[in-house]
Amino acid sequence: MHTRATSAQPPPARQRLTKALLTVAQFGQAQLFFGNLYEAVVKVPDRFAEHRDLAAAPGTTARRAAVLRPGSPVRYFVPSGPLTVAAALGALAAGWRSPSRHWLTMSAATTVAMALGTAQLNRTVNDPLFLAARAPDATERTELLRRWYRANAIRMAVLAVAWVTAQRARSATECD
């Protein structure tokens, strides 16, 4: 006999979907975290700011399309960023009736916050630092780099919270 799941208990198919989406979200969160950590440790922004030819194709001026040229770290983040956000939001939607809803909500919210913070960082720091027609002077470059590293540290902390809350949601989903 088939029984209908209660509102507090999602059906097994929903639980499997939630767990699968959490796996994708956690993979993306970890990839973004370690990618940002790598950029900070090896000082990728300093290299790009000092050698603007690294941010643009050789022999051309910096432009948005140059961000995706070979060697650009953006190429590694473009596929995982939207997929990670979509997976976190999908897990929240799939697990909405689950007792782990609060963990799913926190994971999705922090993942979206990271994405919005990255968009803001790109607009306010990366564009003037790497892509503006005029290279910033030394004082302005130093200030933009300081802002980048501070924002990146915040972004990594938010990603860590997103990953931990996704793990808590995953554990709670397995216990449901």
Side-chain angles (χ1 to χ4, degrees):
M1 178 194 294
H2 185 286
T3 60
R4 186 178 167 121
T6 65
S7 63
Q9 184 69 28
R14 281 274 203 194
Q15 287 178 321
R16 286 192 301 275
L17 177 60
T18 302
K19 286 169 49 177
L21 289 168
L22 282 170
T23 299
V24 172
Q26 282 189 286
F27 180 80
Q29 291 158 348
Q31 188 272 337
L32 293 166
F33 176 87
F34 287 108
N36 286 313
L37 178 62
Y38 171 80
E39 282 189 333
V41 169
V42 301
K43 300 194 178 292
V44 170
D46 292 78
R47 293 177 48 134
F48 272 52
E50 187 175 323
H51 303 286
R52 288 177 60 89
D53 58 314
L54 293 176
T60 64
T61 58
R63 62 186 194 285
R64 287 197 182 276
V67 174
L68 297 175
R69 77 180 276 262
S72 171
V74 173
R75 293 174 66 154
Y76 305 106
F77 295 113
V78 168
S80 62
L83 181 62
T84 301
V85 171
L89 291 172
L92 174 61
W96 187 252
R97 293 185 185 170
S98 168
S100 62
R101 175 173 44 191
H102 62 282
W103 292 116
L104 292 165
T105 302
M106 287 183 63
S107 182
T110 51
T111 301
V112 168
M114 176 281 308
L116 293 173
T118 297
Q120 179 69 7
L121 179 66
N122 287 337
R123 190 179 67 71
T124 62
V125 176
N126 290 3
D127 284 357
L129 187 58
F130 308 127
L131 302 174
R134 179 192 64 79
D137 63 34
T139 304
E140 185 181 9
R141 183 176 68 223
T142 300
E143 174 59 23
L144 288 168
L145 286 169
R146 186 184 64 74
R147 287 174 48 198
W148 188 94
Y149 284 103
R150 183 177 47 210
N152 193 54
I154 293 167
R155 183 169 48 179
M156 288 189 313
V158 170
L159 279 165
V161 170
W163 190 92
V164 168
T165 54
Q167 185 61 37
R168 295 296 299 260
R170 181 189 199 77
S171 296
T173 300
E174 289 170 357
C175 295
D176 291 347

